[in-house]
């Protein structure tokens, strides 16, 4: 059973930066694609970033491309999300997810394991 624990959320002003971390345990890590999703109140969970098991492939939606960077350290079983130039519309609970396969998946249905989420609030 894979367990994921996110950290690094908080309150930041518009234009600021945060780095989220997600520590994985309980199963193979380097063979799994990893992703970040977010959910704002009253909205559906949306894709933010994904990285393949090897770290060689990443993908982002247009809404965060150029501002967010996903990376992973397979030696530490940890995935990161560096968020720069934050905007109020980035405010949400951010979830880390682990896939069954090794690709950088963009759909929630490819992810079988989820963390508890960490709140990110961007003030205007």
């Amino acid at each position: 059973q894979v367990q994921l624990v996110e950290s690094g959320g908080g309150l930041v002003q518009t234009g600021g930066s945060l780095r989220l971390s997600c520590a994985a345990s309980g199963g193979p890590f380097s063979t799994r694609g990893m992703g970040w999703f977010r959910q704002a109140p009253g909205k559906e969970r949306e894709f933010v970033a994904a990285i393949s098991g090897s770290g060689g492939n990443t993908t982002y939606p247009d809404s965060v491309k150029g501002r967010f960077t996903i990376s992973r350290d397979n030696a530490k079983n940890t995935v990161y999300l560096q968020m720069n130039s934050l905007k109020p519309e980035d405010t949400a609970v951010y979830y880390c997810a682990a896939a069954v396969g090794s690709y950088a998946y963009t759909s929630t249905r490819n992810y079988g394991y989820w963390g508890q989420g960490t709140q990110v609030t961007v003030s205007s």
Side-chain angles (χ1 to χ4, degrees):
Q1 183 74 8
V2 176
Q3 294 184 327
L4 304 172
V5 179
E6 302 101 333
S7 60
L11 173 64
V12 65
Q13 292 185 334
T14 296
S17 298
L18 283 174
R19 189 175 84 151
L20 306 183
S21 299
C22 173
S25 61
F29 181 75
S30 64
T31 57
R32 296 187 186 276
M34 298 293 295
W36 287 96
F37 292 77
R38 67 187 181 188
Q39 189 165 18
K43 295 187 176 181
E44 293 186 352
R45 192 167 296 190
E46 66 171 345
F47 169 67
V48 174
I51 187 167
S52 61
S54 67
N57 291 295
T58 59
T59 186
Y60 309 89
D62 288 343
S63 58
V64 307
K65 195 173 295 182
R67 300 188 298 121
F68 290 11
T69 303
I70 189 171
S71 60
R72 66 190 296 160
D73 185 338
N74 285 344
K76 295 182 178 180
N77 285 7
T78 302
V79 64
Y80 306 96
L81 184 68
Q82 178 66 45
M83 305 185 294
N84 298 328
S85 302
L86 283 161
K87 305 174 181 180
E89 51 263 43
D90 295 317
T91 295
V93 177
Y94 283 69
Y95 296 92
C96 171
V100 176
S102 63
Y103 297 125
Y105 305 101
T106 62
S107 171
T108 58
R109 64 177 179 266
N110 294 113
Y111 292 89
Y113 306 96
W114 294 83
Q116 82 288 351
T118 185
Q119 177 71 46
V120 171
T121 302
V122 184
S123 63
S124 57

